[in-house]
Amino acid sequence: MMYVEYGSPLNGRRLLETVAFLNRSGLDCEMGIEFSVNLLEDGKIVASGSMQDNVLKCIAVSKDCQGEGLAAKIVSELKLEAALQGKTHLFLYTKPENRSLFDALGFYKVAQTEHILLMEDLKNGVAQFVSKIPKAKAQPVGAIVMNCNPFTNGHLDLIANAAAECGFLYIFVVSEEKSFFSAQDRLRLVKEGTAHLPNVAVQPTGEYLISSATFPVYFIKEKDRAAEFNSALDLTVFAECFAGPLGITRRYVGCEPFCPVTRRYNRQMQRLLPEHGITVIERPRFSIGGEAVSASRVRRLFAEGRFEELRPLVPEVTYWYLMEVSAK
């Protein structure tokens, strides 16, 4: 008789058994999992699946029980829990060869690379999201993807120079809530700080770009290349789902003197995007007093209460926002 077991998250002996089951299935159990479902038969795990944020992951079925609809049962239980938590849009990452399995379970392809397939449970979800973005009014069309945590004069300098070279420029502000400042505030600051540029449209990325926080590596054998695979997928989503429909032919980026991860991402961008007809244009970082302006520098000065020192580094809208935040 089949028994369903839930964990939020699993712990103790059952966690160890789940890890061992996934390992036998050629998968790893990831940190950060918030909810898990196991199907047990005679006390032994025969299928398992988990959820982190709105991403389904670590879904596996015992070889002896494959073809019995257990994957569908796992996904159904995870969807039910997601609904109870108010999550209405789910994603999953898997190997490309698993597409037919998840097609049958109500998931749809967003983008695919050699190593990873990204799917969502909303048909044409990414196309619907992009269709609501205003269309470019002039050529050539450029784009910048930014976190802006917070919006600095470095960001503004890159935007202003790119806008001067483009007929129309999209600024995509990362929507992921993994930054010191909220996505809503970051988006507002960029909109207000670029309102004087008539050919610029500031848009959120939604849940489609830069989803590194929930990117799974449980099915990737070459762990040392996981960040590379993640970047390739993110760039494929940008190129196929955003740049193609919006007519974007240029992507602007600031050179990265501080963060090696971002530097590697920029190099991969320069290698992959031209394959999609997108020119990558890297600009020197905006500097004051010989030191590059960075959001991390602004955050450090903000945390130390050194407001007069950070004031030259940010637009007025950001400065007064930071003053307001500090007063709370």
Side-chain angles (χ1 to χ4, degrees):
M1 181 176 178
M2 201 73 66
Y3 173 70
V4 183
E5 177 184 63
Y6 307 96
S8 302
L10 294 172
N11 54 55
R13 179 178 61 85
R14 187 59 79 198
L15 173 60
L16 296 176
E17 292 174 351
T18 302
V19 170
F21 171 76
L22 291 173
N23 290 165
R24 290 194 298 272
S25 301
L27 305 175
D28 296 320
C29 187
E30 293 201 323
M31 299 293 292
I33 285 174
E34 299 165 347
F35 180 81
S36 297
V37 176
N38 283 332
L39 300 184
L40 292 87
E41 191 168 46
D42 298 327
K44 295 183 179 181
I45 299 173
V46 293
S48 184
S50 297
M51 180 168 60
Q52 180 182 351
D53 293 337
N54 63 338
V55 177
L56 307 191
K57 54 175 58 176
C58 300
I59 298 173
V61 176
S62 171
K63 290 183 179 180
D64 297 336
C65 297
Q66 290 180 2
E68 298 180 10
L70 300 191
K73 176 64 174 174
I74 288 288
V75 170
S76 177
E77 294 289 342
L78 292 173
K79 283 186 172 182
L80 177 59
E81 175 63 23
L84 292 174
Q85 294 184 20
K87 299 173 181 176
T88 58
H89 190 191
L90 301 178
F91 293 85
L92 65 83
Y93 300 78
T94 188
K95 299 175 183 178
E97 56 263 33
N98 291 336
R99 178 174 176 177
S100 59
L101 168 64
F102 291 106
D103 277 343
L105 298 179
F107 283 83
Y108 305 89
K109 172 189 168 184
V110 175
Q112 177 180 323
T113 65
E114 177 185 356
H115 303 281
I116 307 167
L117 168 65
L118 171 61
M119 307 185 79
E120 62 180 336
D121 67 345
L122 179 62
K123 188 175 183 180
N124 299 320
V126 66
Q128 292 179 40
F129 178 83
V130 174
S131 71
K132 297 174 184 177
I133 296 174
K135 296 299 183 288
K137 301 173 183 177
Q139 302 291 327
V141 182
I144 307 174
V145 181
M146 294 177 152
N147 195 33
C148 297
N149 185 38
F151 184 49
T152 71
N153 280 331
H155 295 122
L156 181 57
D157 178 75
L158 179 61
I159 292 170
N161 281 287
E165 297 179 357
C166 295
F168 197 82
L169 180 69
Y170 290 103
I171 308 300
F172 293 105
V173 180
V174 175
S175 299
E176 207 168 40
E177 291 287 7
K178 303 295 180 181
S179 300
F180 185 84
F181 300 103
S182 73
Q184 180 180 358
D185 287 349
R186 289 185 285 107
L187 182 69
R188 177 178 63 81
L189 292 177
V190 180
K191 284 185 175 181
E192 293 181 9
T194 60
H196 62 289
L197 299 171
N199 63 332
V200 168
V202 180
Q203 298 291 317
T205 61
E207 299 174 285
Y208 294 103
L209 297 176
I210 314 292
S211 55
S212 58
T214 53
F215 175 74
V217 298
Y218 66 90
F219 58 87
I220 296 175
K221 299 302 180 186
E222 301 167 271
K223 303 299 185 192
D224 59 331
R225 298 185 65 192
E228 173 191 342
F229 295 163
N230 181 19
S231 298
L233 178 64
D234 181 69
L235 291 168
T236 300
V237 173
F238 171 79
E240 296 181 354
C241 303
F242 285 74
L246 296 173
I248 296 167
T249 57
R250 299 179 179 184
R251 180 157 167 178
Y252 289 82
V253 63
C255 67
E256 181 48 65
F258 305 111
C259 178
V261 174
T262 302
R263 197 157 52 241
R264 286 194 296 270
Y265 180 86
N266 288 353
R267 287 200 297 267
Q268 195 164 13
M269 187 189 308
Q270 292 166 341
R271 186 175 71 254
L272 295 179
L273 290 188
E275 298 175 2
H276 298 272
I278 302 168
T279 301
V280 178
I281 302 170
E282 187 174 39
R283 295 294 188 212
R285 291 288 288 266
F286 178 72
S287 298
I288 294 179
E291 185 176 356
V293 174
S294 69
S296 60
R297 181 181 169 192
V298 171
R299 291 195 303 274
R300 175 172 54 82
L301 293 173
F302 172 73
E304 295 171 358
R306 296 158 64 183
F307 299 106
E308 289 309 308
E309 290 181 59
L310 72 78
R311 188 166 191 172
L313 309 182
V314 298
E316 282 293 292
V317 63
T318 302
Y319 175 76
W320 291 112
Y321 164 78
L322 294 175
M323 292 296 289
E324 181 182 341
V325 172
S326 70
K328 292 182 178 178

